[in-house]
Amino acid sequence: MRLRDRVGISENRQTQITYVMEIGLVVLFFLGMERGSVGVMVNCAVGLVVIQLPPLLERDYDVPMDPALTLWITSAAFLHALGTVGIPGTGATFYRSTGWWDHMTHALSSSLVAGVGYATVRAVEEHSDDIYLPDRFIFVFILMFVMAFGVFWEVVEFAITEVTDITGGPRVLTQYSLEDTMKDLLFNLIGGVIVAIWGTAYLTDIVGAIEDRLDARSGAE
């Protein structure tokens, strides 16, 4: 069963929600511009680049991106960008004023990272007759892949925070405390576990497309 069949809403509705969030990112970008918020503009711009990946992968690399996968990617980009926007009347962002917002976006983003890691390593295994990876190894690999990426991201956040504090520039990313970092890593792990347990069965189309690309490249060589 494909991922789009498990979402619980029609493909048309999934596509409509995706379009709304894409438009929302554009609106948030101009809102950040109107407020003079470099952080909002940068995060929205990155989100707009990320949501171009599904049509790019489908058009140029024949990777099947059904509406649910596109919605998954767009949701992660939109909710992160929205979290950086100040709430009218308070000035506080969703990240600062809503305790669960940061946890939700980290779990969602890490689930995407887990999906990418799983699809890649499984496609390599299917492509090569000399490689065999037991399911238990794949499970552990997904978690380690997610945690390694999470640590890398926290280091980037720390470096950007330190540089902006020294230079007095606008904060694009913020690391609030050691406790916040540990919670981020915990919810990264939760996102990875979700994909490791339930998500892998619905990524077979992606695995097959990557395997086909690897087979085609090997044949050309």
Side-chain angles (χ1 to χ4, degrees):
M1 184 178 290
R2 294 184 178 183
L3 178 61
R4 65 187 178 197
D5 300 321
R6 300 291 297 178
V7 174
I9 56 178
S10 68
E11 288 188 32
N12 287 338
R13 185 65 66 188
Q14 294 170 32
T15 302
Q16 290 169 357
I17 296 172
T18 299
Y19 284 154
V20 168
M21 288 191 290
E22 290 175 352
I23 295 172
L25 276 171
V26 175
V27 172
L28 291 176
F29 177 85
F30 284 105
L31 179 62
M33 182 182 297
E34 187 271 332
R35 293 181 178 180
S37 174
V38 176
V40 171
M41 292 169 60
V42 169
N43 281 285
C44 288
V46 171
L48 288 169
V49 171
V50 169
I51 64 175
Q52 300 310 309
L53 292 177
L56 176 67
L57 290 172
E58 191 163 35
R59 183 184 67 246
D60 296 347
Y61 299 97
D62 296 323
V63 176
M65 300 297 295
D66 66 39
L69 284 169
T70 303
L71 178 60
W72 186 8
I73 294 170
T74 306
S75 296
F78 175 75
L79 292 174
H80 169 67
L82 181 61
T84 65
V85 178
I87 302 172
T90 65
T93 65
F94 284 107
Y95 275 123
R96 294 300 300 268
S97 63
T98 307
W100 51 265
W101 193 276
D102 191 31
H103 307 329
M104 172 187 65
T105 54
H106 269 274
L108 185 58
S109 299
S110 65
S111 68
L112 281 176
V113 173
V116 171
Y118 167 79
T120 302
V121 72
R122 182 62 82 185
V124 171
E125 179 199 19
E126 295 291 338
H127 168 70
S128 176
D129 295 332
D130 298 325
I131 299 177
Y132 169 70
L133 302 177
D135 290 340
R136 289 185 179 181
F137 175 85
I138 295 292
F139 184 91
V140 174
F141 170 81
I142 291 174
L143 300 187
M144 294 299 99
F145 184 77
V146 168
M147 293 305 294
F149 187 88
V151 170
F152 170 76
W153 183 258
E154 294 300 326
V155 171
V156 170
E157 280 192 348
F158 174 78
I160 291 177
T161 300
E162 291 298 306
V163 170
T164 53
D165 285 346
I166 294 173
T167 62
R171 285 192 173 188
V172 178
L173 295 172
T174 302
Q175 192 172 62
Y176 298 107
S177 65
L178 179 59
E179 179 182 359
D180 176 69
T181 299
M182 294 299 101
K183 288 181 179 179
D184 288 348
L185 293 175
L186 173 61
F187 281 90
N188 288 345
L189 181 62
I190 291 174
V193 169
I194 291 173
V195 172
I197 295 176
W198 291 293
T200 54
Y202 308 109
L203 296 172
T204 52
D205 287 348
I206 304 296
V207 172
I210 297 174
E211 182 187 358
D212 289 343
R213 295 289 298 185
L214 292 174
D215 291 341
R217 177 169 294 183
S218 296
E221 293 174 354

